[in-house]
Amino acid sequence: MRQIELPFEGPFSASDSPSLWTPREIWVRLTPQMMPYFAEGRRIDYKGGSRIDFADMAKYLSAFSNTPEGGVLVFGANSHGHPTGCNLLSVDVQNRIESCHTQLCPEARPEFRRIEVSVEGKPDFCIAVYVPCIGRLVETNKQESYIRYGDTIHKMSDEERQDFRSTRHELSFEFLHAPYEFPSEFDSEIVKDFCDGFRTRERRDNWSDQEILRDRFLLAEHGGKLKPTNAFVLLAALNPRKSIPGCRVRIQRFGAEQEGSGDTYAPLRDRFFEGNVVSIIRSASQELDELVYDVTWLNSDGKFETTPEYPKWAWFEALVNACVHRSYSFAGTDVTVKLFPNRMEIESPGGFVPPVNEMNLYHTRASRNPHLMDAMRYLGYVQMAREGTRRIRESMAKYRLPEPVFKQEALHGVVVKVTLFNDYLTRKRASDRDVAVYFGVEVWKLLQDYEITIAAHAYRNKVIHVSDASRLTGRTWATSKKDLDRLVRKGVLEFVSGTYTRDSKAHYRLVERTASASHSGAPK
């Protein structure tokens, strides 16, 4: 078996790589030689041993208790893992390290061990603290909650705390009673379709609509009356945003590969879609059908091929997953879909639902809103949680596109982002079929990626200036001038001069092509 070379005693096999150890494995096996290898990150953090900040320690106890697999806190080392020792600490302080959690973070369950080290040739020790994940929200004595992201701890907002509790089923957002009247404030067609779907699939022909809604936890008794739950509101209410402001989707299309900011922030399309989850998915899907281009590209056989930028199943499943599995406790944030020339990003508020993470999402199942997901299944929108991610990956593979990227981010609140890449550069994609047909295969083969961008602009606008080419390609004015002159030599453009250098009237225009040349190798 292949052995891994590491700067401390081993050797370790590939299946026992320290980079894959859990925090507990690190804590059990940690030695002074290993400490510099384990850089500060999600699994471990180092603190000096000359002075202990117990309020700070309480934050770490909360953070690691709320982080999947927990974490290790080592006292008596610098940030690079080099031992500095704890000999200077009094016995009282050493004892308090091991007992302070009972007052400062009562629900934490830390474990302690001492590691013998040498500091400047003298014997010393570090105190290693393993803090396991508890599986429920752990707060400090100040009613504050933290979680670990990378090498930092993050203080949770009230929304994040509620979302955390709901994902651990401490408090089910779906079960909360909602201020709506049934049936007057609900979409009768969606309710009928759901109930008919349930009766058909479960062979409950004699069940009434009310019995089905109660059985699926969409109606619940409250104060002697049947009241809608949040799950039912999300599924079929006429105006869910009355009580759940985050129930909407924002779709944007950008002309550049970055959003920009200030004066450079100018989306080509920016629309919001509101209503219940079913109606949002329907209307947002229609919008994406229009915004996803049919693009033509030259395949490996030297022929034009026309396909959508992304397979519909990929973006549709990503949209459904985002709406069904998002955290609706994050009231002020929306599901967002952003289209750029080279990619589509779908952001869903709330993090991965444990035990799901970026590494196991194709094989592990969990749901933040299980009753909403169950109801959507009877309407034919979802199968099981992990099936959606698999279908996204398989759809992209059929189009020979890069594998989707799933990532949890915490830049502006915690979100799960799905990124679909359209392989814009390596496939030399055009933005529409007519452009490729006009130039034909033989010309297309000779063009570089940036030249295709310039030629496509000239085709649509009849003329192009140097400044246009510079803006489109991101290259300098001088380089863009050379690019355009090169296209003149290739017979794609012709130059119309002005009266002086950089004359605003000087431009390039498309060379007229014959019908036979234009249709050579046209896509079918």
Side-chain angles (χ1 to χ4, degrees):
M1 181 178 293
R2 182 173 65 87
Q3 302 293 319
I4 299 173
E5 296 295 329
L6 293 168
F8 50 82
E9 290 184 6
F12 298 95
S13 66
S15 61
D16 187 34
S17 169
S19 62
L20 301 178
W21 288 357
T22 65
R24 182 170 183 84
E25 288 173 322
I26 294 174
W27 179 74
V28 168
R29 304 165 74 171
L30 194 62
T31 66
Q33 294 75 30
M34 290 182 183
M35 286 163 54
Y37 172 81
F38 290 105
E40 288 189 326
R42 183 180 61 81
R43 298 179 296 173
I44 193 167
D45 204 293
Y46 298 102
K47 297 293 179 183
S50 59
R51 178 181 174 275
I52 305 300
D53 183 339
F54 287 100
D56 184 63
M57 181 177 173
K59 296 177 182 178
Y60 280 87
L61 291 172
S62 169
F64 282 134
S65 297
N66 294 325
T67 302
E69 297 187 333
V72 178
L73 189 61
V74 179
F75 290 99
N78 63 24
S79 59
H80 300 292
H82 298 295
T84 58
C86 291
N87 263 343
L88 296 178
L89 298 177
S90 68
V91 173
D92 287 343
V93 171
Q94 294 176 31
N95 289 336
R96 194 180 177 200
I97 288 175
E98 299 188 12
S99 63
C100 71
H101 67 280
T102 58
Q103 289 83 35
L104 301 181
C105 193
E107 291 189 283
R109 296 292 180 266
E111 301 178 46
F112 305 87
R113 65 177 285 248
R114 297 192 178 193
I115 302 172
E116 293 183 7
V117 300
S118 177
V119 179
E120 297 181 352
K122 297 179 181 180
D124 210 319
F125 66 94
C126 295
I127 301 175
V129 187
Y130 168 60
V131 186
C133 178
I134 298 301
R136 60 181 181 275
L137 187 68
V138 174
E139 300 176 326
T140 69
N141 63 334
K142 296 179 180 179
Q143 283 74 56
E144 296 174 340
S145 302
Y146 297 83
I147 193 167
R148 185 77 165 179
Y149 292 132
D151 62 352
T152 62
I153 58 172
H154 168 73
K155 184 179 179 181
M156 295 184 184
S157 66
D158 290 341
E159 292 174 329
E160 289 171 313
R161 287 148 61 101
Q162 184 174 350
D163 177 59
F164 188 99
R165 285 191 166 110
S166 69
T167 61
R168 274 70 176 178
H169 302 291
E170 290 184 56
L171 173 66
S172 176
F173 174 84
E174 290 186 297
F175 278 149
L176 295 178
H177 297 106
Y180 295 79
E181 294 296 325
F182 176 74
S184 60
E185 293 187 86
F186 288 78
D187 188 313
S188 58
E189 289 189 11
I190 294 176
V191 175
K192 181 178 185 302
D193 288 344
F194 164 73
C195 292
D196 288 346
F198 178 89
R199 277 187 280 262
T200 299
R201 294 182 63 157
E202 304 299 331
R203 299 180 182 178
R204 304 284 187 179
D205 296 340
N206 58 334
W207 281 33
S208 68
D209 289 356
Q210 189 176 106
E211 287 175 312
I212 294 170
L213 296 172
R214 292 188 66 175
D215 181 77
R216 296 293 92 189
F217 305 103
L218 302 179
L219 289 178
E221 191 168 324
H222 180 66
K225 296 178 61 178
L226 286 178
K227 299 290 292 183
T229 63
N230 276 339
F232 195 15
V233 171
L234 290 170
L235 178 74
L238 294 172
N239 184 20
R241 297 193 72 240
K242 181 173 76 172
S243 62
I244 309 176
C247 192
R248 67 178 184 177
V249 168
R250 184 180 191 178
I251 297 179
Q252 298 173 297
R253 176 111 210 179
F254 296 90
E257 293 188 10
Q258 302 298 327
E259 292 183 34
S261 60
D263 293 340
T264 63
Y265 181 80
L268 305 176
R269 193 84 160 257
D270 191 355
R271 291 190 63 190
F272 288 92
F273 298 87
E274 300 177 354
N276 55 62
V277 171
V278 174
S279 62
I280 285 175
I281 291 173
R282 288 173 180 169
S283 55
S285 296
Q286 292 176 355
E287 177 77 357
L288 287 172
D289 264 329
E290 294 180 15
L291 290 181
V292 172
Y293 298 142
D294 280 339
V295 293
T296 297
W297 47 282
L298 195 63
N299 65 24
S300 57
D301 297 325
K303 297 180 179 180
F304 281 131
E305 186 172 336
T306 299
T307 62
E309 284 180 284
Y310 314 93
K312 181 168 183 176
W313 275 122
W315 60 256
F316 181 78
E317 288 289 348
L319 172 66
V320 171
N321 281 357
C323 292
V324 172
H325 298 300
R326 69 152 289 177
S327 169
Y328 286 97
S329 300
F330 288 78
T333 56
D334 310 313
V335 169
T336 61
V337 182
K338 301 174 184 178
L339 294 97
F340 301 90
N342 66 331
R343 70 193 186 280
M344 177 190 293
E345 297 176 350
I346 302 96
E347 294 182 359
S348 177
F352 287 114
V353 182
V356 175
N357 56 46
E358 295 169 12
M359 305 301 294
N360 65 15
L361 56 88
Y362 291 116
H363 313 289
T364 306
R365 186 177 75 193
S367 175
R368 176 176 280 107
N369 307 304
H371 301 295
L372 172 62
M373 186 183 77
D374 181 65
M376 294 292 286
R377 183 165 58 89
Y378 288 111
L379 288 169
Y381 283 96
V382 300
Q383 297 180 38
M384 302 302 285
R386 60 189 174 200
E387 297 304 320
T389 57
R390 288 177 181 173
R391 183 176 287 189
I392 295 170
R393 181 177 63 177
E394 291 166 2
S395 298
M396 294 292 282
K398 287 179 181 177
Y399 269 51
R400 301 190 297 279
L401 291 172
E403 188 164 307
V405 176
F406 295 83
K407 188 175 182 180
Q408 180 171 305
E409 297 183 347
L411 296 177
H412 307 288
V414 183
V415 300
V416 171
K417 179 191 290 185
V418 182
T419 305
L420 308 178
F421 291 96
N422 63 23
D423 215 6
Y424 177 80
L425 293 178
T426 59
R427 285 185 159 188
K428 296 185 178 179
R429 289 177 175 270
S431 55
D432 60 58
R433 179 178 182 275
D434 292 340
V435 175
V437 171
Y438 179 84
F439 289 102
V441 169
E442 296 308 316
V443 171
W444 213 247
K445 284 180 179 179
L446 301 176
L447 299 181
Q448 301 296 318
D449 299 330
Y450 60 87
E451 292 176 325
I452 289 176
T453 301
I454 293 171
H457 181 90
Y459 172 82
R460 296 189 198 93
N461 298 278
K462 306 307 179 186
V463 300
I464 185 169
H465 297 82
V466 178
S467 56
D468 296 327
S470 178
R471 175 178 52 81
L472 290 167
T473 65
R475 294 151 76 88
T476 65
W477 190 96
T479 301
S480 297
K481 179 71 167 64
K482 293 177 182 178
D483 294 339
L484 291 167
D485 290 338
R486 191 179 302 110
L487 287 173
V488 170
R489 293 193 296 272
K490 290 183 178 182
V492 175
L493 302 176
E494 60 182 354
F495 179 60
V496 179
S497 63
T499 58
Y500 54 87
T501 303
R502 296 202 182 193
D503 188 337
S504 60
K505 295 181 180 179
H507 62 272
Y508 295 77
R509 65 187 178 196
L510 209 60
V511 172
E512 293 292 333
R513 299 183 59 76
T514 63
S516 60
S518 298
H519 289 83
S520 175
K524 297 179 180 180

